[in-house]
């Protein structure tokens, strides 16, 4: 599942990941994405951090209440540092961050690595 409030980004990621053998659902609205989460259904979520109505970290917390085992990778165009994330959110167990712009091939490789871990 890809959750990003920019429809063009969702479209590009979906097409590219489909070409790399992934089945992908996309959502532009984090609340709509949350209503579609089912425990054990998704292997990997790609979540934009900065979105209206609910940011990616808030969405992550709510999703983990439904499916504690789903893997999550945050995607962002923001200047974002992992150490700062750890300081602000010390209890969140996230190790995957992808910085936009990112090629679809890079994204596919990140997903493959995450799924192997």
């Amino acid at each position: 599942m890809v959750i990003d409030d920019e429809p063009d980004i969702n479209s590009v990621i979906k097409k590219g990941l489909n070409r790399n053998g992934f089945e992908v659902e996309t959502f532009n609205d984090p609340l709509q994405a949350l209503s579609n989460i089912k425990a054990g259904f998704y292997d990997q979520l790609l979540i934009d951090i900065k979105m209206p109505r609910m940011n990616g970290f808030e969405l992550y917390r709510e999703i983990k209440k439904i499916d504690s085992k789903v893997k999550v990778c945050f995607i962002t165009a923001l200047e974002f540092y992992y150490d700062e994330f750890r300081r602000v959110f010390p209890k969140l167990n996230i190790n995957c961050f992808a910085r936009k712009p990112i090629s679809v091939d890079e994204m596919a490789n990140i997903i493959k690595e995450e799924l192997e871990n």
Side-chain angles (χ1 to χ4, degrees), residues 101-112:
I102 185 169
S103 75
V104 174
D105 289 337
E106 286 178 274
M107 183 61 69
N109 287 335
I110 288 170
I111 293 169
K112 288 174 187 173

Side-chain angles (χ1 to χ4, degrees), residues 4 11-12 14 17 20 32 39 45 51 64 75 99 101 108:
D4 193 305
S11 178
V12 168
K14 181 175 182 163
L17 292 179
N20 279 277
Q32 187 180 32
L45 304 179
M51 295 184 286
K64 285 298 191 170
I75 52 177
R99 187 152 182 244

Side-chain angles (χ1 to χ4, degrees), residues 16 21 31 36-37 47 52 54 61 69 84 101 112:
L31 296 177
N36 280 276
I37 293 293
I47 302 175
M54 176 182 273
R61 286 186 190 117
K69 295 181 181 178
E84 179 69 10
K112 288 174 187 173

